Coordinates of all heavy atoms in Angstrom, one line a residue:
C1 N 4.3 -131.8 -59.3 CA 5.3 -132.8 -58.9 C 4.9 -133.3 -57.5 O 4.5 -132.5 -56.6 CB 6.6 -132.1 -58.8 SG 8.0 -133.1 -58.2
T2 N 5.1 -134.6 -57.3 CA 4.8 -135.2 -56.0 C 6.0 -136.0 -55.5 O 6.5 -136.8 -56.4 CB 3.5 -136.1 -56.1 OG1 2.4 -135.2 -56.5 CG2 3.2 -136.8 -54.8
I3 N 6.3 -136.0 -54.3 CA 7.3 -136.9 -53.8 C 6.6 -137.9 -52.9 O 6.0 -137.5 -51.9 CB 8.4 -136.2 -53.0 CG1 9.2 -135.2 -54.0 CG2 9.4 -137.1 -52.3 CD1 10.2 -134.3 -53.3
L4 N 6.7 -139.2 -53.2 CA 6.1 -140.2 -52.3 C 7.1 -140.6 -51.3 O 8.2 -140.8 -51.6 CB 5.7 -141.4 -53.2 CG 4.7 -141.2 -54.3 CD1 4.5 -142.4 -55.2 CD2 3.4 -140.7 -53.7
T5 N 6.6 -140.8 -50.0 CA 7.4 -141.2 -49.0 C 7.1 -142.5 -48.4 O 5.9 -143.0 -48.6 CB 7.5 -140.1 -47.9 OG1 6.2 -140.0 -47.3 CG2 8.0 -138.8 -48.4
T6 N 7.9 -143.1 -47.7 CA 7.7 -144.4 -47.1 C 8.4 -144.4 -45.8 O 9.1 -143.5 -45.4 CB 8.1 -145.6 -48.0 OG1 7.7 -146.8 -47.4 CG2 9.7 -145.6 -48.2
S7 N 8.3 -145.5 -45.0 CA 8.9 -145.6 -43.7 C 10.5 -145.6 -44.1 O 10.9 -146.1 -45.1 CB 8.5 -146.8 -43.0 OG 8.7 -148.0 -43.8
P8 N 11.3 -145.2 -43.1 CA 12.7 -145.1 -43.3 C 13.4 -146.5 -43.3 O 13.0 -147.4 -42.7 CB 13.2 -144.3 -42.2 CG 12.3 -144.6 -41.1 CD 11.0 -144.8 -41.7
A9 N 14.5 -146.6 -44.1 CA 15.4 -147.8 -44.0 C 16.0 -147.7 -42.6 O 16.1 -146.6 -42.0 CB 16.4 -147.7 -45.1
A10 N 16.5 -148.8 -42.1 CA 17.1 -148.8 -40.8 C 18.2 -147.8 -40.6 O 18.2 -147.2 -39.5 CB 17.6 -150.3 -40.5
S11 N 19.0 -147.6 -41.6 CA 20.1 -146.7 -41.5 C 19.6 -145.2 -41.5 O 20.4 -144.3 -41.1 CB 21.1 -146.9 -42.6 OG 20.5 -146.6 -43.9
I12 N 18.5 -144.9 -41.9 CA 17.9 -143.6 -41.9 C 17.0 -143.3 -40.7 O 16.7 -142.2 -40.4 CB 17.1 -143.4 -43.3 CG1 18.0 -143.7 -44.4 CG2 16.5 -142.0 -43.3 CD1 19.2 -142.8 -44.6
A13 N 16.5 -144.3 -40.1 CA 15.5 -144.2 -39.0 C 15.9 -143.3 -37.9 O 15.1 -142.5 -37.3 CB 15.1 -145.5 -38.5
S14 N 17.2 -143.2 -37.6 CA 17.7 -142.4 -36.5 C 17.7 -140.9 -36.9 O 17.8 -140.0 -36.1 CB 19.0 -142.8 -36.0 OG 20.0 -142.6 -37.0
I15 N 17.7 -140.6 -38.3 CA 17.7 -139.3 -38.8 C 16.3 -138.7 -39.0 O 16.0 -137.5 -38.8 CB 18.5 -139.3 -40.1 CG1 20.0 -139.8 -39.8 CG2 18.5 -137.9 -40.7 CD1 20.7 -140.0 -41.1
H16 N 15.4 -139.6 -39.5 CA 14.1 -139.1 -39.9 C 13.1 -140.3 -39.9 O 13.5 -141.4 -40.0 CB 14.1 -138.4 -41.3 CG 13.1 -137.4 -41.5 ND1 11.8 -137.7 -41.7 CD2 13.1 -136.1 -41.5 CE1 11.1 -136.6 -41.9 NE2 11.9 -135.6 -41.7
D17 N 11.8 -139.9 -39.7 CA 10.8 -140.9 -39.6 C 10.2 -141.4 -41.0 O 9.3 -142.2 -41.0 CB 9.7 -140.5 -38.7 CG 8.9 -139.3 -39.2 OD1 9.4 -138.6 -40.2 OD2 7.9 -139.0 -38.6
R18 N 10.7 -140.8 -42.1 CA 10.3 -141.2 -43.4 C 11.4 -141.0 -44.4 O 12.4 -140.3 -44.0 CB 9.0 -140.5 -43.8 CG 9.2 -139.1 -43.9 CD 7.9 -138.3 -44.2 NE 8.2 -136.9 -44.2 CZ 7.3 -136.0 -44.3 NH1 6.1 -136.3 -44.5 NH2 7.7 -134.7 -44.4
M19 N 11.2 -141.5 -45.6 CA 12.2 -141.2 -46.7 C 11.5 -141.3 -48.0 O 10.4 -141.8 -48.1 CB 13.4 -142.3 -46.6 CG 12.9 -143.7 -46.9 SD 14.3 -144.9 -46.7 CE 15.3 -144.5 -48.1
P20 N 12.1 -140.7 -49.0 CA 11.5 -140.7 -50.3 C 11.4 -142.2 -50.9 O 12.4 -143.0 -50.6 CB 12.4 -139.9 -51.2 CG 13.2 -139.1 -50.3 CD 13.3 -139.9 -49.0
V21 N 10.4 -142.5 -51.6 CA 10.4 -143.8 -52.3 C 11.4 -143.7 -53.4 O 11.4 -142.7 -54.2 CB 9.0 -144.1 -52.9 CG1 9.1 -145.3 -53.8 CG2 8.0 -144.3 -51.7
M22 N 12.3 -144.7 -53.6 CA 13.3 -144.6 -54.6 C 13.2 -146.0 -55.4 O 13.2 -147.1 -54.8 CB 14.7 -144.5 -54.1 CG 14.9 -143.2 -53.4 SD 16.6 -143.1 -52.7 CE 16.6 -144.1 -51.2
L23 N 13.0 -145.9 -56.7 CA 12.9 -147.0 -57.5 C 14.1 -147.4 -58.1 O 15.0 -146.5 -58.4 CB 11.8 -146.8 -58.6 CG 10.4 -146.4 -58.2 CD1 9.5 -146.1 -59.4 CD2 9.8 -147.6 -57.3
R24 N 14.4 -148.7 -58.3 CA 15.6 -149.2 -59.0 C 15.3 -149.1 -60.5 O 14.1 -149.2 -60.9 CB 15.9 -150.6 -58.6 CG 16.2 -150.8 -57.2 CD 16.7 -152.2 -56.9 NE 17.1 -152.4 -55.6 CZ 18.2 -151.9 -55.0 NH1 19.0 -151.2 -55.7 NH2 18.5 -152.1 -53.7
P25 N 16.3 -148.9 -61.3 CA 16.1 -148.8 -62.8 C 15.2 -149.9 -63.4 O 14.4 -149.7 -64.2 CB 17.5 -148.9 -63.3 CG 18.3 -148.3 -62.2 CD 17.7 -148.8 -60.9
D26 N 15.4 -151.2 -62.8 CA 14.6 -152.3 -63.4 C 13.1 -152.2 -63.0 O 12.2 -152.9 -63.5 CB 15.2 -153.7 -62.9 CG 15.0 -153.9 -61.4 OD1 15.2 -152.9 -60.6 OD2 14.9 -155.0 -61.1
Q27 N 12.7 -151.2 -62.1 CA 11.3 -151.0 -61.8 C 10.6 -149.8 -62.5 O 9.5 -149.7 -62.4 CB 11.2 -150.7 -60.3 CG 11.7 -151.9 -59.4 CD 11.8 -151.5 -58.0 OE1 12.2 -150.4 -57.6 NE2 11.3 -152.4 -57.1
Y28 N 11.4 -149.0 -63.3 CA 10.9 -147.9 -63.9 C 9.8 -148.2 -64.9 O 8.7 -147.5 -64.8 CB 12.0 -147.1 -64.7 CG 13.1 -146.6 -64.0 CD1 14.3 -146.1 -64.6 CD2 13.1 -146.4 -62.6 CE1 15.3 -145.6 -63.9 CE2 14.1 -145.9 -61.8 CZ 15.3 -145.4 -62.5 OH 16.3 -144.9 -61.9
D29 N 10.0 -149.1 -65.8 CA 8.9 -149.5 -66.7 C 7.6 -149.9 -66.1 O 6.5 -149.6 -66.5 CB 9.4 -150.5 -67.7 CG 10.5 -150.0 -68.7 OD1 10.6 -148.8 -68.9 OD2 11.2 -150.8 -69.3
L30 N 7.8 -150.8 -65.0 CA 6.6 -151.2 -64.3 C 5.8 -150.0 -63.7 O 4.6 -149.9 -63.7 CB 7.0 -152.2 -63.2 CG 6.0 -152.9 -62.5 CD1 5.1 -153.8 -63.3 CD2 6.6 -153.8 -61.3
W31 N 6.6 -149.1 -63.1 CA 5.9 -147.9 -62.5 C 5.2 -147.0 -63.5 O 4.1 -146.5 -63.2 CB 7.0 -147.1 -61.7 CG 6.5 -145.9 -61.1 CD1 6.5 -144.6 -61.5 CD2 5.8 -145.9 -59.8 NE1 5.9 -143.7 -60.6 CE2 5.4 -144.5 -59.6 CE3 5.4 -146.8 -58.9 CZ2 4.7 -144.1 -58.4 CZ3 4.7 -146.4 -57.8 CH2 4.3 -145.1 -57.6
L32 N 5.8 -146.9 -64.7 CA 5.3 -146.0 -65.7 C 4.2 -146.6 -66.6 O 3.5 -146.0 -67.3 CB 6.4 -145.5 -66.6 CG 7.4 -144.6 -65.8 CD1 8.6 -144.3 -66.7 CD2 6.8 -143.3 -65.3
D33 N 4.1 -148.0 -66.5 CA 3.1 -148.7 -67.3 C 1.7 -148.4 -66.8 O 1.4 -148.8 -65.7 CB 3.4 -150.1 -67.3 CG 2.6 -151.0 -68.2 OD1 1.5 -150.5 -68.7 OD2 2.9 -152.1 -68.5
E34 N 0.8 -147.8 -67.6 CA -0.5 -147.5 -67.2 C -1.4 -148.7 -66.9 O -2.5 -148.6 -66.2 CB -1.2 -146.7 -68.2 CG -0.6 -145.3 -68.4 CD -1.2 -144.5 -69.5 OE1 -2.2 -144.9 -70.1 OE2 -0.8 -143.3 -69.7
T35 N -1.0 -149.9 -67.3 CA -1.7 -151.1 -67.1 C -1.3 -151.9 -65.8 O -1.9 -152.8 -65.4 CB -1.6 -152.1 -68.3 OG1 -0.3 -152.5 -68.4 CG2 -2.1 -151.4 -69.6
T36 N -0.3 -151.4 -65.1 CA 0.2 -152.0 -63.8 C -0.9 -151.8 -62.8 O -1.4 -150.7 -62.6 CB 1.5 -151.4 -63.4 OG1 2.5 -151.5 -64.4 CG2 2.0 -152.1 -62.1
D37 N -1.3 -152.9 -62.1 CA -2.4 -152.8 -61.2 C -1.8 -152.2 -59.9 O -0.7 -152.1 -59.6 CB -2.9 -154.3 -60.8 CG -1.8 -155.1 -60.2 OD1 -1.1 -155.7 -61.0 OD2 -1.8 -155.2 -59.0
S38 N -2.8 -151.7 -59.1 CA -2.5 -150.9 -57.9 C -1.7 -151.7 -56.8 O -0.9 -151.2 -56.2 CB -3.7 -150.2 -57.3 OG -4.6 -151.2 -56.9
A39 N -2.0 -153.0 -56.7 CA -1.4 -153.8 -55.7 C 0.1 -154.0 -56.1 O 1.0 -153.9 -55.2 CB -2.0 -155.2 -55.7
T40 N 0.5 -154.1 -57.4 CA 1.9 -154.1 -57.8 C 2.6 -152.8 -57.5 O 3.7 -152.8 -57.1 CB 1.9 -154.5 -59.3 OG1 1.3 -155.7 -59.5 CG2 3.4 -154.6 -59.8
L41 N 1.9 -151.7 -57.9 CA 2.4 -150.4 -57.6 C 2.7 -150.2 -56.2 O 3.8 -149.7 -55.7 CB 1.6 -149.3 -58.2 CG 1.4 -149.3 -59.7 CD1 0.3 -148.2 -60.1 CD2 2.7 -148.9 -60.3
Q42 N 1.8 -150.6 -55.3 CA 1.9 -150.4 -53.9 C 3.1 -151.2 -53.3 O 3.8 -150.8 -52.5 CB 0.6 -150.9 -53.2 CG 0.6 -150.7 -51.7 CD 0.4 -149.3 -51.2 OE1 -0.2 -148.5 -52.0 NE2 1.0 -148.9 -50.1
S43 N 3.4 -152.4 -54.0 CA 4.5 -153.2 -53.5 C 5.9 -152.5 -53.8 O 6.9 -152.9 -53.3 CB 4.5 -154.6 -54.2 OG 4.9 -154.5 -55.6
L44 N 5.9 -151.5 -54.6 CA 7.1 -150.8 -55.0 C 7.4 -149.7 -54.0 O 8.6 -149.2 -53.9 CB 7.0 -150.2 -56.4 CG 6.9 -151.2 -57.6 CD1 6.7 -150.4 -58.9 CD2 8.0 -152.1 -57.7
L45 N 6.5 -149.4 -53.2 CA 6.6 -148.2 -52.2 C 7.3 -148.7 -50.9 O 6.7 -148.6 -49.8 CB 5.2 -147.6 -51.9 CG 4.4 -147.1 -53.1 CD1 3.1 -146.6 -52.7 CD2 5.3 -146.1 -53.9
Q46 N 8.4 -149.2 -51.0 CA 9.2 -149.8 -49.9 C 10.4 -149.0 -49.6 O 10.9 -148.4 -50.5 CB 9.6 -151.3 -50.2 CG 8.4 -152.2 -50.6 CD 7.5 -152.4 -49.4 OE1 7.8 -152.5 -48.3 NE2 6.2 -152.3 -49.7
P47 N 10.9 -149.1 -48.4 CA 12.2 -148.4 -48.1 C 13.3 -149.0 -49.0 O 13.3 -150.2 -49.3 CB 12.5 -148.8 -46.7 CG 11.2 -149.1 -46.1 CD 10.4 -149.7 -47.2
F48 N 14.3 -148.2 -49.4 CA 15.4 -148.6 -50.2 C 16.3 -149.5 -49.4 O 16.4 -149.4 -48.2 CB 16.1 -147.4 -50.7 CG 16.8 -147.5 -52.1 CD1 16.0 -147.7 -53.2 CD2 18.2 -147.5 -52.1 CE1 16.7 -147.8 -54.4 CE2 18.8 -147.6 -53.4 CZ 18.0 -147.8 -54.5
D49 N 17.0 -150.4 -50.0 CA 17.8 -151.4 -49.4 C 19.0 -150.6 -48.7 O 19.7 -149.8 -49.3 CB 18.4 -152.3 -50.4 CG 19.3 -153.4 -49.8 OD1 19.3 -153.6 -48.5 OD2 19.9 -154.2 -50.5
D50 N 19.2 -150.9 -47.4 CA 20.3 -150.2 -46.6 C 21.7 -150.4 -47.2 O 22.4 -149.5 -47.1 CB 20.3 -150.8 -45.2 CG 19.4 -150.0 -44.3 OD1 19.3 -148.8 -44.4 OD2 19.0 -150.6 -43.3
S51 N 21.9 -151.5 -47.8 CA 23.3 -151.7 -48.4 C 23.6 -150.7 -49.5 O 24.8 -150.5 -49.9 CB 23.4 -153.2 -48.9 OG 22.5 -153.3 -50.0
D52 N 22.6 -150.0 -50.1 CA 22.8 -149.0 -51.1 C 22.7 -147.6 -50.6 O 22.7 -146.7 -51.5 CB 21.8 -149.3 -52.3 CG 22.0 -150.5 -53.0 OD1 23.2 -151.0 -53.1 OD2 21.1 -151.2 -53.4
L53 N 22.7 -147.4 -49.4 CA 22.5 -146.0 -48.8 C 23.7 -145.7 -48.0 O 24.3 -146.6 -47.3 CB 21.2 -146.0 -47.9 CG 19.9 -146.2 -48.6 CD1 18.8 -146.2 -47.5 CD2 19.7 -145.1 -49.6
Q54 N 24.0 -144.4 -47.9 CA 25.1 -143.9 -47.0 C 24.5 -142.7 -46.2 O 23.8 -141.9 -46.9 CB 26.3 -143.4 -47.8 CG 27.1 -144.5 -48.5 CD 28.3 -143.9 -49.2 OE1 28.2 -142.7 -49.6 NE2 29.3 -144.7 -49.4
A55 N 24.8 -142.6 -45.0 CA 24.4 -141.5 -44.2 C 25.6 -140.8 -43.7 O 26.6 -141.4 -43.2 CB 23.5 -141.9 -43.1
Y56 N 25.7 -139.5 -43.9 CA 26.8 -138.7 -43.5 C 26.4 -137.2 -43.2 O 25.4 -136.8 -43.9 CB 28.0 -138.8 -44.4 CG 27.7 -138.4 -45.9 CD1 27.7 -137.1 -46.3 CD2 27.3 -139.4 -46.8 CE1 27.5 -136.8 -47.6 CE2 27.0 -139.1 -48.1 CZ 27.1 -137.8 -48.5 OH 26.8 -137.4 -49.8
A57 N 27.2 -136.5 -42.4 CA 26.8 -135.1 -42.2 C 27.2 -134.3 -43.4 O 28.1 -134.5 -44.1 CB 27.7 -134.6 -41.0
V58 N 26.3 -133.3 -43.6 CA 26.5 -132.3 -44.7 C 26.4 -130.9 -44.2 O 26.0 -130.7 -43.1 CB 25.5 -132.6 -45.9 CG1 25.7 -133.9 -46.5 CG2 24.1 -132.3 -45.4
S59 N 26.9 -130.0 -44.9 CA 26.8 -128.5 -44.6 C 25.4 -128.1 -44.3 O 24.4 -128.6 -44.9 CB 27.4 -127.7 -45.8 OG 27.0 -126.3 -45.6
N60 N 25.2 -127.1 -43.4 CA 23.9 -126.6 -43.1 C 23.3 -125.8 -44.3 O 22.3 -125.2 -44.2 CB 23.8 -125.9 -41.8 CG 24.7 -124.6 -41.8 OD1 25.4 -124.3 -42.8 ND2 24.7 -124.0 -40.6
A61 N 24.1 -125.8 -45.4 CA 23.6 -125.1 -46.7 C 22.3 -125.8 -47.1 O 21.4 -125.2 -47.8 CB 24.6 -125.1 -47.8
V62 N 22.1 -127.0 -46.8 CA 20.9 -127.7 -47.2 C 19.6 -127.2 -46.5 O 18.5 -127.5 -46.9 CB 20.9 -129.3 -46.9 CG1 22.1 -129.9 -47.6 CG2 21.0 -129.5 -45.4
N63 N 19.8 -126.4 -45.5 CA 18.6 -125.8 -44.8 C 18.0 -124.6 -45.5 O 17.0 -124.1 -45.1 CB 19.0 -125.4 -43.4 CG 19.5 -126.5 -42.5 OD1 19.1 -127.7 -42.8 ND2 20.3 -126.3 -41.6
K64 N 18.6 -124.2 -46.6 CA 18.1 -123.0 -47.3 C 17.7 -123.5 -48.7 O 18.4 -124.0 -49.5 CB 19.1 -121.9 -47.5 CG 19.5 -121.3 -46.1 CD 20.4 -120.2 -46.2 CE 20.8 -119.6 -44.9 NZ 21.8 -118.6 -45.1
V65 N 16.4 -123.2 -49.1 CA 15.8 -123.7 -50.3 C 16.5 -123.2 -51.5 O 16.6 -123.8 -52.6 CB 14.3 -123.4 -50.4 CG1 14.0 -122.0 -50.5 CG2 13.6 -124.3 -51.4
E66 N 17.1 -122.0 -51.4 CA 17.9 -121.4 -52.6 C 19.2 -122.1 -52.9 O 19.7 -122.0 -54.0 CB 18.1 -119.9 -52.4 CG 18.9 -119.5 -51.3 CD 18.2 -119.2 -50.0 OE1 17.0 -119.5 -49.9 OE2 18.8 -118.6 -49.1
N67 N 19.6 -122.9 -52.0 CA 20.9 -123.7 -52.2 C 20.5 -125.0 -52.9 O 19.8 -125.8 -52.3 CB 21.6 -124.0 -50.9 CG 22.1 -122.7 -50.3 OD1 22.3 -121.7 -51.0 ND2 22.2 -122.7 -49.0
D68 N 21.0 -125.2 -54.1 CA 20.6 -126.4 -54.9 C 21.8 -126.8 -55.7 O 21.7 -127.2 -56.9 CB 19.5 -126.0 -55.8 CG 18.9 -127.3 -56.5 OD1 19.0 -128.4 -55.9 OD2 18.3 -127.2 -57.6
G69 N 23.0 -126.8 -55.1 CA 24.2 -127.2 -55.8 C 24.9 -128.4 -55.2 O 24.5 -129.0 -54.2
P70 N 26.0 -128.8 -55.8 CA 26.7 -129.9 -55.2 C 27.3 -129.7 -53.9 O 27.5 -130.7 -53.1 CB 27.9 -130.1 -56.2 CG 28.0 -128.8 -57.0 CD 26.6 -128.2 -57.0
E71 N 27.4 -128.5 -53.4 CA 27.9 -128.3 -52.0 C 27.0 -128.8 -51.0 O 27.3 -129.1 -49.8 CB 28.1 -126.8 -51.8 CG 26.9 -125.9 -51.7 CD 26.2 -125.5 -53.0 OE1 26.8 -125.9 -54.1 OE2 25.3 -124.8 -53.0
C72 N 25.7 -129.1 -51.4 CA 24.7 -129.6 -50.4 C 24.9 -131.1 -50.1 O 24.4 -131.5 -49.1 CB 23.3 -129.4 -51.0 SG 22.8 -127.6 -51.1
V73 N 25.7 -131.8 -50.9 CA 25.9 -133.2 -50.6 C 27.4 -133.6 -50.3 O 27.7 -134.8 -50.2 CB 25.4 -134.1 -51.8 CG1 23.9 -133.9 -51.9 CG2 26.1 -133.8 -53.0
V74 N 28.2 -132.5 -50.2 CA 29.6 -132.8 -49.8 C 29.7 -133.2 -48.3 O 29.2 -132.4 -47.5 CB 30.5 -131.6 -50.1 CG1 31.9 -131.8 -49.6 CG2 30.5 -131.3 -51.6
P75 N 30.3 -134.3 -48.0 CA 30.5 -134.6 -46.5 C 31.3 -133.6 -45.8 O 32.2 -133.0 -46.3 CB 31.2 -136.0 -46.6 CG 31.0 -136.5 -48.0 CD 30.9 -135.3 -48.9
V76 N 30.9 -133.3 -44.6 CA 31.6 -132.5 -43.6 C 31.9 -133.2 -42.4 O 31.2 -134.2 -42.0 CB 30.8 -131.2 -43.3 CG1 30.6 -130.3 -44.6 CG2 29.6 -131.5 -42.6
E77 N 32.9 -132.7 -41.7 CA 33.3 -133.4 -40.5 C 32.2 -133.1 -39.4 O 31.7 -132.0 -39.3 CB 34.5 -132.8 -39.9 CG 35.3 -133.7 -38.9 CD 36.7 -133.2 -38.6 OE1 37.4 -133.0 -39.6 OE2 37.0 -133.1 -37.5
T78 N 31.8 -134.1 -38.6 CA 30.7 -133.9 -37.6 C 31.4 -133.3 -36.4 O 32.4 -133.8 -35.9 CB 30.1 -135.3 -37.2 OG1 29.6 -135.9 -38.4 CG2 29.0 -135.1 -36.3
P79 N 30.9 -132.1 -35.9 CA 31.4 -131.5 -34.7 C 31.1 -132.3 -33.4 O 30.2 -133.1 -33.4 CB 30.7 -130.2 -34.6 CG 29.5 -130.4 -35.4 CD 29.7 -131.4 -36.4
T80 N 32.1 -132.3 -32.5 CA 31.9 -133.0 -31.3 C 30.9 -132.1 -30.4 O 30.6 -131.0 -30.8 CB 33.2 -133.1 -30.5 OG1 33.7 -131.8 -30.2 CG2 34.3 -133.8 -31.3
I81 N 30.4 -132.7 -29.4 CA 29.4 -132.0 -28.6 C 30.1 -130.7 -28.0 O 29.5 -129.7 -28.0 CB 28.9 -132.8 -27.5 CG1 28.0 -133.9 -28.1 CG2 28.1 -132.1 -26.4 CD1 27.5 -135.0 -27.1
A82 N 31.3 -130.8 -27.7 CA 32.0 -129.6 -27.2 C 32.2 -128.5 -28.2 O 32.1 -127.3 -27.9 CB 33.4 -130.0 -26.6
E83 N 32.4 -128.9 -29.5 CA 32.5 -127.9 -30.5 C 31.2 -127.3 -30.9 O 31.1 -126.2 -31.4 CB 33.1 -128.5 -31.7 CG 34.6 -129.0 -31.5 CD 35.1 -129.8 -32.7 OE1 34.2 -130.5 -33.3 OE2 36.3 -129.8 -32.9
Q84 N 30.1 -128.0 -30.8 CA 28.8 -127.5 -31.3 C 28.3 -126.4 -30.3 O 28.2 -126.7 -29.1 CB 27.8 -128.6 -31.3 CG 26.5 -128.2 -31.9 CD 25.5 -129.4 -32.2 OE1 25.9 -130.6 -32.1 NE2 24.3 -129.0 -32.4
T85 N 28.0 -125.3 -30.9 CA 27.6 -124.1 -30.0 C 26.2 -123.8 -30.2 O 25.5 -123.1 -29.4 CB 28.4 -122.9 -30.3 OG1 28.3 -122.5 -31.6 CG2 29.9 -123.1 -29.9
S86 N 25.5 -124.4 -31.3 CA 24.1 -124.0 -31.5 C 23.5 -125.2 -32.4 O 24.3 -126.0 -33.0 CB 23.9 -122.7 -32.1 OG 24.3 -122.7 -33.5
L87 N 22.2 -125.2 -32.5 CA 21.5 -126.1 -33.4 C 21.4 -125.6 -34.7 O 21.0 -126.4 -35.7 CB 20.2 -126.5 -32.8 CG 20.2 -127.3 -31.4 CD1 18.8 -127.4 -30.9 CD2 20.9 -128.6 -31.5
I88 N 21.6 -124.4 -35.0 CA 21.5 -123.8 -36.3 C 22.8 -123.3 -36.9 O 23.7 -122.8 -36.2 CB 20.5 -122.6 -36.3 CG1 19.1 -123.1 -35.7 CG2 20.3 -121.9 -37.6 CD1 18.1 -122.0 -35.5

Protein backbone atom coordinates (compact mmCIF):
# COMPACT_ATOMS: atom_id res chain seq x y z
CA CYS A 1 0.00 0.00 0.00
CA THR A 2 1.25 3.48 -0.83
CA ILE A 3 -0.10 6.87 0.17
CA LEU A 4 0.75 9.61 -2.29
CA THR A 5 1.14 13.08 -0.84
CA THR A 6 1.08 16.56 -2.32
CA SER A 7 1.48 20.10 -1.09
CA PRO A 8 -1.22 21.10 1.37
CA ALA A 9 -4.39 22.97 0.55
CA ALA A 10 -4.39 26.48 2.03
CA SER A 11 -6.62 25.42 4.93
CA ILE A 12 -4.21 22.61 5.85
CA ALA A 13 -0.90 24.45 5.40
CA SER A 14 -0.84 25.80 8.97
CA ILE A 15 -1.26 22.23 10.28
CA HIS A 16 1.12 20.27 8.05
CA ASP A 17 3.43 20.75 5.06
CA ARG A 18 1.77 18.04 2.98
CA MET A 19 -1.50 16.15 2.62
CA PRO A 20 -2.67 12.92 1.00
CA VAL A 21 -3.69 13.06 -2.63
CA MET A 22 -7.47 12.69 -2.74
CA LEU A 23 -9.25 11.90 -5.97
CA ARG A 24 -12.82 12.87 -6.77
CA PRO A 25 -15.14 10.03 -7.83
CA ASP A 26 -15.14 11.30 -11.41
CA GLN A 27 -11.33 10.77 -11.50
CA TYR A 28 -11.29 7.14 -10.33
CA ASP A 29 -11.60 5.53 -13.75
CA LEU A 30 -8.90 7.78 -15.22
CA TRP A 31 -6.55 6.90 -12.34
CA LEU A 32 -7.16 3.16 -12.66
CA ASP A 33 -7.00 3.02 -16.47
CA GLU A 34 -3.67 1.43 -17.44
CA THR A 35 -3.62 3.40 -20.70
CA THR A 36 -3.70 6.83 -18.99
CA ASP A 37 -0.48 8.67 -19.78
CA SER A 38 1.84 9.82 -17.01
CA ALA A 39 1.27 13.53 -17.66
CA THR A 40 -2.47 13.08 -17.08
CA LEU A 41 -1.85 11.06 -13.94
CA GLN A 42 0.56 13.71 -12.68
CA SER A 43 -2.14 16.37 -13.18
CA LEU A 44 -4.33 14.53 -10.67
CA LEU A 45 -1.75 14.87 -7.88
CA GLN A 46 -3.06 18.23 -6.72
CA PRO A 47 -4.21 19.51 -3.32
CA PHE A 48 -7.91 18.91 -2.72
CA ASP A 49 -10.23 21.92 -3.06
CA ASP A 50 -10.39 23.91 0.19
CA SER A 51 -14.15 24.31 -0.09
CA ASP A 52 -14.51 20.55 0.49
CA LEU A 53 -12.21 20.35 3.54
CA GLN A 54 -12.77 21.01 7.22
CA ALA A 55 -10.08 21.38 9.86
CA TYR A 56 -10.92 20.87 13.52
CA ALA A 57 -9.29 19.63 16.71
CA VAL A 58 -9.62 15.92 17.51
CA SER A 59 -8.74 13.74 20.48
CA ASN A 60 -5.10 12.83 20.98
CA ALA A 61 -6.27 9.23 20.45
CA VAL A 62 -5.10 9.76 16.87
CA ASN A 63 -1.52 9.67 18.14
CA LYS A 64 -1.64 5.92 18.81
CA VAL A 65 -1.59 3.57 15.84
CA GLU A 66 -3.77 1.00 17.62
CA ASN A 67 -6.65 3.51 17.69
CA ASP A 68 -8.57 3.13 14.45
CA GLY A 69 -12.18 3.92 15.32
CA PRO A 70 -14.67 6.74 14.89
CA GLU A 71 -13.46 8.38 18.10
CA CYS A 72 -10.41 9.53 16.13
CA VAL A 73 -12.44 11.97 14.03
CA VAL A 74 -14.91 13.32 16.59
CA PRO A 75 -14.38 17.08 17.06
CA VAL A 76 -13.19 18.16 20.50
CA GLU A 77 -13.05 21.56 22.08
CA THR A 78 -9.71 23.27 21.58
CA PRO A 79 -8.09 24.12 24.93
CA THR A 80 -7.05 27.68 25.56
CA ILE A 81 -3.38 28.38 26.15
CA ALA A 82 -4.07 28.69 29.90
CA GLU A 83 -5.77 25.26 29.94
CA GLN A 84 -3.05 23.49 27.98
CA THR A 85 -0.51 22.00 30.36
CA SER A 86 1.54 19.91 27.94
CA LEU A 87 2.05 19.14 24.28
CA ILE A 88 1.21 15.46 24.72
